Amino acid sequence: MTASRNRRLVTALAGFVLFTAIAGQFWRNLLGYWGWGAVALAAVGVSVWMLAAHRPRIRFRRIPTSLLVFTGLVVLSVVWSSYRAGTALGILLYLAVFAAAAFVALCLRWGEIVAALAGALRWTISLSLLFELYVAIFVRAPLPPNFTDYGDDAPAAFFWSRDLLFAGGPIEGIVGSRNLLGFAALLLVVLTALQFASGLVRPTAGTGWLVASALVLALTRSATVFVAAAAVLAALGFAVWMRRISPQRRRPVYWTAAGLGAAVLAAVALAWPAILQAFGKSEDLTGRFDIWASVWSMIAEKPWFGWGWLGYWQPWVEPFDDLAVRNGVVYLQAHNAWLDVWMQLGILGLIAFAALAIGTLWRSWFLAVDRPHDPAGGPRPYQAIALLPLALTVALLAQSIAESRILIEGGLLLFLVVAVVTKQRQWRPEPLPAEAPEPRTARPGGWNAPTGPAAGSAG
């Protein structure tokens, strides 16, 4: 197998791993939990196999210290856990995602990571549109997951699709959740736009994916995702502004950002009732206030070390079998990653998680706005795709306020990949290609490198 074909295989396998993590609910709804377990085991096996085959040189100074501390607390929490069997399973799932993140971050070049993520998101969005179209034309009724029998009076949240495509949404797609589908669509909008601006995707294909992902984003009608989209747009806007001025003149931009942020928060506070009405939300944010109150009561009992790691709550573990129940649905997350971490790992875990989040955001920001240098010492032009780590980090952190997805599956995988890749970039500068003029001849291994043949064929 030639080197180029081998790299394309590695990228394709990474795309499969990313798709499995992002669309985990698709496999559960399609194949049941045993089928999903088989697919997940295959994804982990691929990751371990690739790590063993490539044997990346791992230097711990190139891994965020906060990530090592957080992972250590996750593993050690089994010692003081109030539900050790549940924590052992949660640790196993966390380490599985950790292995997948290590494969993607350490065995792929930056351009290959972009290509693999683009492929995973495109499969998620295209299959979701086809799935919702199938339900709307042939099923014409809410569709439950396979291997289930909820009866006629099941809550709407139990269904795989509620057959609302022709009604204008909200649609859930193959992932069975409008929040998850909307978030995937948001990431694809941002990724495609940055690829388009960097000359890494053909205009026709780029326009098509932009339209498809924007359509899905609109049809999900997810308030959480729209808030994340606003945060990403603001972050990218300020990053582009920063790129256009010298480092010595950046202080006014930071003051402007702070002032604008304060003004937005004040406006949101004043217009809160109107905002809730516009998004069809209740005053308690669809039951989130009650869930947060229940989680806070658990935090108050064990504030320092927490109850033990679970990740996604396991419904057979007390008290999570009835900790958050609304309209007959048992919710299995705190709907706030920060409260979730505090409850599971205590203040020590919360500090480690905050350090990991802040460090990743910090590195992503400066990688986005600081001009790279070539080996000869001269500055290189910026490329838009270098904004992607910042966009991913901001989107995940904005989502973490109302969802705990950053702690499990696709959210955790993307978060860990960005954390590791940005840290690697600090220690191993790579020559960056010029922006757009020669996208197919630039070095494929660079931080801003184009995705080569994979980028052209992906569209």
Side-chain angles (χ1 to χ4, degrees):
M1 181 181 294
T2 64
S4 61
R5 290 183 63 185
N6 179 61
R7 297 312 305 176
R8 284 197 293 269
L9 174 62
V10 173
T11 303
L13 291 174
F16 163 70
V17 171
L18 285 164
F19 175 79
T20 300
I22 292 170
Q25 192 62 34
F26 163 67
W27 295 115
R28 288 189 287 272
N29 288 347
L30 179 69
L31 304 175
Y33 273 85
W34 288 106
W36 163 76
V39 174
L41 188 61
V44 175
V46 164
S47 301
V48 174
W49 171 43
M50 287 288 101
L51 284 168
H54 288 81
R55 297 179 183 177
R57 294 180 62 187
I58 301 175
R59 297 179 181 177
F60 285 102
R61 68 177 184 176
R62 297 183 180 180
I63 305 296
T65 303
S66 53
L67 172 56
L68 298 177
V69 172
F70 181 77
T71 301
L73 287 172
V74 166
V75 174
L76 287 175
S77 68
V78 73
V79 175
W80 61 80
S81 173
S82 299
Y83 30 75
R84 290 188 176 179
T87 295
L89 178 58
I91 292 171
L92 184 63
L93 294 175
Y94 176 89
L95 294 178
V97 177
F98 191 94
F103 158 48
V104 175
L106 300 178
C107 297
L108 276 73
R109 305 182 182 104
W110 171 242
E112 294 167 341
I113 294 175
V114 172
L117 179 58
L121 293 172
R122 288 169 183 173
W123 276 105
T124 302
I125 297 305
S126 56
L127 287 177
S128 292
L129 282 173
L130 292 173
F131 171 69
E132 290 289 351
L133 192 62
Y134 166 79
V135 173
I137 294 176
F138 298 103
V139 180
R140 300 183 182 180
L143 180 68
N146 291 334
F147 312 108
T148 59
D149 184 13
Y150 295 133
D152 297 331
D153 299 328
F158 285 13
F159 288 96
W160 192 355
S161 169
R162 291 188 289 164
D163 184 28
L164 296 176
L165 177 63
F166 292 160
I171 63 173
E172 291 85 12
I174 61 170
V175 295
S177 166
R178 63 173 175 170
N179 289 335
L180 288 180
L181 180 61
F183 193 74
L186 169 62
L187 296 186
L188 185 55
V189 167
V190 173
L191 174 55
T192 305
L194 295 179
Q195 284 183 310
F196 205 121
S198 300
L200 304 180
V201 66
R202 296 189 182 99
T204 302
T207 301
W209 286 115
L210 275 175
V211 171
S213 52
L215 175 63
V216 171
L217 181 61
L219 286 172
T220 58
R221 289 160 46 184
S222 170
T224 301
V225 174
F226 282 119
V227 171
V232 170
L233 184 61
L236 293 183
F238 278 104
V240 172
W241 186 4
M242 282 289 198
R243 283 181 165 201
R244 297 179 181 276
I245 59 179
S246 64
Q248 295 76 17
R249 299 171 55 193
R250 288 177 176 176
R251 184 172 296 180
V253 180
Y254 287 115
W255 283 111
T256 302
L260 182 60
V264 169
L265 290 176
V268 169
L270 292 173
W272 187 245
I275 294 173
L276 292 177
Q277 184 177 7
F279 284 103
K281 295 291 184 181
S282 60
E283 293 185 358
D284 65 346
L285 295 180
T286 320
R288 281 178 171 81
F289 286 175
D290 292 336
I291 296 174
W292 294 343
S294 299
V295 172
W296 181 255
S297 67
M298 294 188 64
I299 291 173
E301 292 187 43
K302 297 185 177 182
W304 287 100
F305 293 94
W307 291 73
W309 178 259
L310 278 179
Y312 204 62
W313 298 355
Q314 298 163 21
W316 55 85
V317 174
E318 294 184 359
F320 303 103
D321 53 348
D322 61 356
L323 183 64
V325 181
R326 186 173 187 272
N327 297 330
V329 179
V330 178
Y331 288 90
L332 300 177
Q333 58 162 314
H335 280 286
N336 181 289
W338 304 86
L339 290 177
D340 231 334
V341 170
W342 194 350
M343 178 190 69
Q344 297 182 41
L345 296 180
I347 291 177
L348 297 180
L350 183 63
I351 293 173
F353 181 73
L356 178 59
I358 294 171
T360 303
L361 182 61
W362 180 271
R363 294 189 300 273
S364 299
W365 170 258
F366 285 105
L367 288 172
V369 302
D370 285 342
R371 179 173 299 193
H373 292 263
D374 64 19
R380 289 277 185 140
Y382 294 108
Q383 194 173 34
I385 200 65
L387 295 165
L388 182 60
L390 175 64
L392 292 175
T393 304
V394 171
L396 288 166
L397 293 180
Q399 184 195 45
S400 72
I401 303 301
E403 300 280 343
S404 298
R405 296 289 177 176
I406 197 174
L407 304 179
I408 59 169
E409 294 190 322
L412 178 61
L413 176 56
L414 290 177
F415 186 46
L416 297 185
V417 167
V418 176
V420 173
V421 167
T422 54
K423 187 68 174 181
Q424 293 278 321
R425 178 69 180 94
Q426 281 188 322
W427 286 97
R428 188 182 56 194
E430 299 176 17
L432 308 181
E435 185 168 9
E438 298 178 344
R440 296 189 181 279
T441 58
R443 177 181 172 181
W447 170 257
N448 287 329
T451 56
S457 61

